[in-house]
Amino acid sequence: MPMCPVCQDSRMVERRRTLRQRFRYARIHECPACEGRRVQAHTDVHPLLSLTARCPKCSTQELRVRKRLDPYDPVYRNPISLMQRYLGARLMYCVDCRLQFYDLRPRRKIRRG
Ligand SMILES: [Zn+2]
Ligand SMILES: [Zn+2]
């Protein structure tokens, strides 16, 4: 169960979304104690729906590009990822899970400073 970001209550209940919220959020949980809300974007739940490259495992956007596969790091063996390789996708690398995968989508520009 998700925890309330405000009071850490773990009895959050899933709320019905309005039509407009359905486009934006995959899930909305509300805390019965303080009415705090926790929203999840579709791209957090389904990383493949994102328009920018994301790690298929942890859905972070902080990715590195690699020139070649590292034999010691795991490779994401999803057919969609492997197919993108033949379409000229770049080899991405997730710093957190050390996962290597192919993704045609552009990387999100990570602002520095
Ligand atoms: Zn709360
Ligand atoms: Zn990852």
Side-chain angles (χ1 to χ4, degrees):
M1 281 300 277
M3 267 221 282
C4 174
V6 183
C7 70
Q8 262 82 56
D9 195 302
S10 60
R11 294 169 301 163
M12 294 198 89
V13 285
E14 188 158 355
R15 252 182 73 102
R16 272 170 189 259
R17 294 158 299 158
T18 63
L19 191 61
R20 208 165 141 196
Q21 288 171 331
R22 271 182 216 197
F23 285 115
R24 294 189 61 189
Y25 308 118
R27 285 185 205 127
I28 299 178
H29 284 91
E30 199 171 80
C31 173
C34 73
E35 296 183 358
R37 276 191 189 179
R38 185 176 172 275
V39 295
Q40 275 179 292
H42 289 287
T43 46
D44 291 337
V45 184
H46 308 287
L48 289 174
L49 286 178
S50 174
L51 291 175
T52 47
R54 279 169 188 259
C55 171
K57 203 169 156 195
C58 69
S59 76
T60 183
Q61 293 181 313
E62 293 194 34
L63 305 165
R64 306 273 152 81
V65 174
R66 275 196 169 164
K67 291 242 162 59
R68 65 189 70 183
L69 280 172
D70 184 314
Y72 300 105
D73 286 334
V75 180
Y76 185 56
R77 297 274 175 206
N78 182 298
I80 295 171
S81 170
L82 296 175
M83 195 180 74
Q84 294 189 55
R85 175 185 182 177
Y86 295 102
L87 298 172
R90 284 175 301 180
L91 178 63
M92 305 272 188
Y93 168 73
C94 172
V95 185
D96 291 333
C97 18
R98 301 171 63 89
L99 189 67
Q100 304 175 100
F101 59 97
Y102 293 93
D103 209 313
L104 283 168
R105 295 169 299 185
R107 269 189 310 162
R108 196 182 74 160
K109 307 260 184 308
I110 294 167
R111 258 188 265 166
R112 289 170 210 282

